[in-house]
Amino acid sequence: MWFESGRVSLDLVATFAAPAGAEEIRDGDELRLWLTGAGLVPDRTPIARVGPDWVEAFRALRRDVGSLVRAELAGAGPDGGALARVNALAAGPPPGLCAVQDQEGHLVRELCGGVECAALLAAVARDAVELLTDPGERDLLRSCEGDGCTRVYLDTSRGHRRRWCSSELCGNRERVARHRRRVLAARPGWRSGGRRTADGQ
């Protein structure tokens, strides 16, 4: 799972925006992993139940946030239904945090009162509202330039020249493809398209 977008709401959108378009939240176990990886649920906090209803709720929020973010990138108006649903979720109370001592006596975070789906949805929806209503953050929204990748991220790089969602993934693929094109172009008898010339050399 990918957590390099700069906002938890964009990280959720990325769970169905990989270059291959694969679904990364297929069941409750994968959603549990995402919630922990995104930092919404601290590692030591047990999650008793993450059922199909949780999965569908997070997928629905993902669709709505994705719709709003892509409309923003396109300079288009937001979808009214998506905006209303995100606002409704964001209005709910987020998870309560408390500090407890671990076995070594250090203070660590836990969720107070258990892990509730509605509270976690509220946290992600609120993050999306904060992102979309902050002019400075909106100006940093970018779409990955990687071939076939639809991930969106905040470009906080120096000079704001980041082109890919991940230098290690899409960036590396682009560098490999560029190198391959240079090698092919340097071969005698090969055109830039990688095909032999008419004389077969």
Side-chain angles (χ1 to χ4, degrees):
M1 292 183 175
W2 186 72
F3 300 99
E4 298 181 51
S5 72
R7 298 297 298 236
V8 69
S9 54
L10 297 181
D11 288 341
L12 178 62
V13 173
T15 60
F16 195 70
E23 174 61 72
E24 293 185 3
I25 301 180
R26 289 170 291 190
D27 54 33
D29 289 337
E30 289 184 337
L31 178 55
R32 183 183 285 107
L33 287 174
W34 185 84
L35 291 169
T36 303
L40 291 167
V41 177
D43 289 335
R44 61 177 287 123
T45 301
I47 308 177
R49 177 192 171 279
V50 179
D53 54 331
W54 285 48
V55 173
E56 182 48 43
F58 272 89
R59 285 180 178 176
L61 176 57
R62 179 181 65 190
R63 285 191 297 270
D64 287 337
V65 173
S67 168
L68 296 176
V69 167
R70 295 188 202 294
E72 180 63 37
L73 282 167
D79 175 86
L83 185 60
R85 289 186 293 271
V86 170
N87 280 335
L89 290 173
L97 286 178
C98 55
V100 298
Q101 283 187 309
D102 64 13
Q103 293 178 345
E104 289 77 37
H106 303 296
L107 290 176
V108 295
R109 289 187 306 138
E110 273 194 359
L111 296 185
C112 305
V115 181
E116 299 291 337
C117 184
L120 295 171
L121 289 167
V124 178
R126 186 170 298 190
D127 181 79
V129 169
E130 290 171 354
L131 165 65
L132 293 167
T133 57
D134 183 327
E137 296 248 302
R138 288 199 310 264
D139 287 346
L140 299 179
L141 276 172
R142 303 285 187 274
S143 289
C144 181
E145 295 181 20
D147 186 30
C149 185
T150 59
R151 285 178 173 151
V152 178
Y153 59 90
L154 290 185
D155 181 8
T156 57
S157 66
R158 182 176 297 178
H160 307 302
R161 287 179 283 199
R162 179 176 166 187
R163 297 177 54 204
W164 304 293
C165 63
S166 169
S167 180
E168 291 75 26
L169 295 175
C170 288
N172 190 55
R173 272 192 290 270
E174 177 60 27
R175 286 188 288 272
V176 169
R178 204 174 346 178
H179 174 71
R180 187 179 298 122
R181 288 193 295 269
R182 281 198 300 267
V183 169
L184 288 175
R187 290 182 183 175
W190 286 77
R191 295 196 293 248
S192 60
R195 293 170 293 177
R196 290 187 185 278
T197 55
D199 59 11
Q201 296 178 347

